[in-house]
Amino acid sequence: MSQIDVTSNQVTDTRAQVPVLQKGAYGAGTLTLNLLPGALGVFSFFLITAFGMDPFLAGLLGGLPRLFDAITDPIMGFITDNTKSRWGRRRPYIVVGAILSGVFFALLWQLDPEASQEYNFWYFLIFSLIFTIGNTMFATPFVGLGYEMTSDYNERTRLMAFANTLGQVAWMIVPWFWVLIADPDLFSSQAEGVQQLSLFVAGACITLGILPGLFCKGIDASDMGNRAEISFSTIFSNLKEVFKGIRQVFKNKPFVRLCGATFLVFNGFQLVSSFAFFIIVFHMFDGNYGATGTWPAWFATVSAIVTAFVVIPVITVMANKWGKRNAFIISTAISIVGYALKWWGFDPSNPWMIFMPIPLMSFGIGGLFTLMMSMTADVCDMDELDNGMPRKEGTFGAIYWLMVKIGQALALILGGLVLKLIGFDPGLSAQSAETITSLRLADIIIPASTAFLAILVMWNYDLTEEKARKIKDKLVELRGEL
């Protein structure tokens, strides 16, 4: 059975359609995937203010787990690609990983503000590394599962659009954690706010995170040959296979372009992500935090709402009509215009103008993960044709998200460097006019420049819909339907 996709004039096999229940479950997992790092980013700020951690040590606590990620992600990708169980390659890890992620996230933040700095440093570091293992067990198979839930070119975009729409709910919620934790009417101290709120975040992540493991369907491992044996006795031989898989992944030129463009767009966006807060406080409200109120939180929340309910649906239509590469280039170009409009949007005489650039600016991140995750699924087909079984969705997902994490870490470092170079001091109640102007220009020029470079990277991306469908047909001819 098949149906016509009215936007692309291509026939979509109904067997490749993902049921709404499974899309919803995968969307719940995407919400978890966003909520954990989002909450972690907010809570980490309070390591300094609530628990008295030295800023340098706090920076180490943020960076060391990312280095650990660089080791665990590819290994987990290999394990999940080669696992055979009655529940599939991904689902058992997703369920166990979601539970471990939630439990250890809660334990991570039960720091004692009265304990010594040395005790809290080692407590947080140890539990952070354990949490990273649990999160890797959840995130890597989860991303790989999304790549294999459908074999249809356009249905992949629709799945990722649906999932990322639900995932944006996390970014609607996270900005308000700042407000809740600092509210003396809710919590007696910031430390108590972090401790209590972490329990709610953990509970939500466990509840939502297990859903894709329970309801989503991936490829049956019994359909695959050439799987490596996963056991303690094969650890060293498997490590060789891990590095072999990584080399194969990086030989895939379309995938390298996807990673490069993602690194540029996301790194540019993340590098200046805190600048909007500082501009609102120091440019629009002259350093008066009381007058600033909840404007920064609303700016972030409205951005997420527009991304979820306006931008992602539009990008989905664009991708189905004009192709994923063209949709990425157009959406990224639109975001550059949005970044430029921030110069007029941050107007001290009219705070409501801060929402003006959001509809255009949101096309950057809104298009990025919806399209890139869909295109990575196409790349997995190409890799199977080139390198055979087993399919490596887990490895591709691990490497892709490792690029995202490296971009996040680099953005934290470079963001602080930019603030220092322009002479910005958040401890001062007022900044010089020159500093504010430099801050505003950096807030526009940096993400616009990286977005433009990403367009150049993707300009010659050649895995078109026609080519992707030919690859799929060839794979079916060689090994049948999975």
Side-chain angles (χ1 to χ4, degrees):
M1 294 181 66
S2 61
Q3 67 175 20
I4 299 294
D5 186 317
V6 295
T7 53
S8 68
N9 296 321
Q10 293 287 340
V11 177
T12 299
D13 191 332
T14 53
R15 291 173 298 177
Q17 287 184 290
V18 181
V20 173
L21 175 63
Q22 291 190 43
K23 285 181 178 176
Y26 195 76
T30 305
L31 200 165
T32 301
L33 196 68
N34 291 341
L35 183 58
L36 282 171
L40 192 65
V42 173
F43 289 7
S44 293
F45 171 82
F46 294 97
L47 281 174
I48 300 171
T49 61
F51 298 102
M53 190 70 66
D54 178 87
F56 174 72
L57 294 179
L60 281 178
L61 291 174
L64 291 176
R66 302 289 77 76
L67 295 176
F68 191 51
D69 259 343
I71 301 171
T72 59
D73 282 3
I75 292 174
M76 189 66 226
F78 175 82
I79 291 173
T80 184
D81 284 340
N82 289 277
T83 293
K84 181 178 180 180
S85 79
R86 59 183 296 187
W87 302 285
R89 298 192 295 167
R90 322 286 184 193
R91 296 165 66 191
Y93 298 117
I94 291 171
V95 172
V96 174
I99 295 171
L100 291 178
S101 295
V103 169
F104 285 106
F105 183 85
L107 290 173
L108 180 65
W109 294 105
Q110 302 311 307
L111 293 162
D112 182 359
E114 303 300 324
S116 68
Q117 179 173 258
E118 182 180 8
Y119 173 86
N120 277 339
F121 175 85
W122 287 108
Y123 176 94
F124 191 90
L125 179 60
I126 291 170
F127 275 102
S128 185
L129 296 177
I130 299 173
F131 163 74
T132 298
I133 294 174
N135 191 233
T136 297
M137 284 184 64
F138 165 76
T140 300
F142 171 76
V143 173
L145 178 65
Y147 295 154
E148 67 183 30
M149 284 176 65
T150 176
S151 61
D152 184 76
Y153 181 85
N154 288 317
E155 183 69 2
R156 285 169 171 166
T157 302
R158 289 189 285 268
L159 170 63
M160 295 307 170
F162 193 101
N164 281 297
T165 295
L166 288 183
Q168 287 298 313
V169 173
W171 304 112
M172 300 174 198
I173 297 170
V174 165
W176 295 94
F177 289 170
W178 298 95
V179 179
L180 295 174
I181 291 171
D183 189 343
D185 293 328
L186 290 176
F187 305 108
S188 60
S189 66
Q190 291 182 353
E192 182 188 338
V194 170
Q195 293 166 345
Q196 295 295 320
L197 200 55
S198 69
L199 300 178
F200 289 98
V201 172
C205 288
I206 292 173
T207 303
L208 297 172
I210 65 174
L211 295 180
L214 297 177
F215 296 107
C216 295
K217 294 183 179 180
I219 293 173
D220 187 347
S222 62
D223 290 337
M224 298 187 178
N226 300 323
R227 288 183 299 103
E229 180 186 349
I230 305 296
S231 68
F232 287 109
S233 62
T234 60
I235 288 176
F236 292 108
S237 61
N238 284 345
L239 283 176
K240 293 180 182 178
E241 291 299 318
V242 170
F243 290 114
K244 178 183 176 181
I246 292 173
R247 287 196 299 271
Q248 288 177 344
V249 162
F250 278 110
K251 287 181 180 178
N252 190 306
K253 292 181 180 179
F255 180 69
V256 171
R257 289 185 181 276
L258 297 181
C259 288
T262 299
F263 180 85
L264 287 164
V265 172
F266 191 66
N267 190 37
F269 174 82
Q270 283 287 99
L271 200 152
V272 301
S273 60
S274 65
F275 290 12
F277 174 80
F278 293 132
I279 292 171
I280 293 172
V281 173
F282 292 97
H283 173 59
M284 297 178 60
F285 293 97
D286 297 320
N288 187 331
Y289 285 90
T292 301
T294 58
W295 284 105
W298 278 114
F299 179 79
T301 298
V302 171
S303 296
I305 292 173
V306 171
T307 300
F309 300 111
V310 178
V311 171
I312 291 178
V314 170
I315 287 173
T316 303
V317 173
M318 289 167 53
N320 288 344
K321 188 171 184 179
W322 298 320
K324 300 173 189 179
R325 167 195 168 273
N326 293 336
F328 173 80
I329 290 173
I330 293 169
S331 62
T332 305
I334 291 172
S335 74
I336 293 175
V337 177
Y339 291 132
L341 289 176
K342 292 168 80 174
W343 183 262
W344 295 275
F346 290 97
D347 183 356
S349 65
N350 184 4
W352 290 97
M353 287 291 286
I354 64 172
F355 301 119
M356 183 263 291
I358 287 176
L360 299 182
M361 192 175 69
S362 298
F363 271 84
I365 296 299
L368 182 67
F369 291 113
T370 299
L371 295 170
M372 290 300 183
M373 292 185 70
S374 177
M375 285 190 273
T376 302
D378 301 331
V379 165
C380 292
D381 288 344
M382 183 180 182
D383 176 76
E384 184 194 342
L385 188 61
D386 291 340
N387 299 304
M389 290 288 191
R391 288 177 63 90
K392 293 192 287 290
E393 287 93 348
T395 301
F396 276 98
I399 299 300
Y400 179 82
W401 282 97
L402 185 59
M403 294 297 104
V404 172
K405 293 171 184 177
I406 291 174
Q408 283 179 312
L410 189 60
L412 290 173
I413 297 170
L414 294 180
L417 179 61
V418 170
L419 290 175
K420 185 174 182 178
L421 289 176
I422 66 176
F424 182 82
D425 185 354
L428 298 176
S429 59
Q431 309 291 326
S432 68
E434 181 182 0
T435 296
I436 290 296
T437 299
S438 298
L439 180 65
R440 296 182 67 203
L441 287 173
D443 188 44
I444 294 169
I445 293 172
I446 290 174
S449 299
T450 56
F452 177 72
L453 291 174
I455 290 175
L456 296 182
V457 168
M458 289 296 293
W459 196 262
N460 291 321
Y461 179 86
D462 61 355
L463 189 50
T464 62
E465 178 174 1
E466 180 182 5
K467 186 175 180 179
R469 290 186 183 278
K470 287 181 178 179
I471 289 172
K472 177 192 172 184
D473 291 343
K474 184 63 176 178
L475 289 173
V476 172
E477 178 185 331
L478 291 172
R479 44 81 167 144
E481 289 280 2
L482 293 181

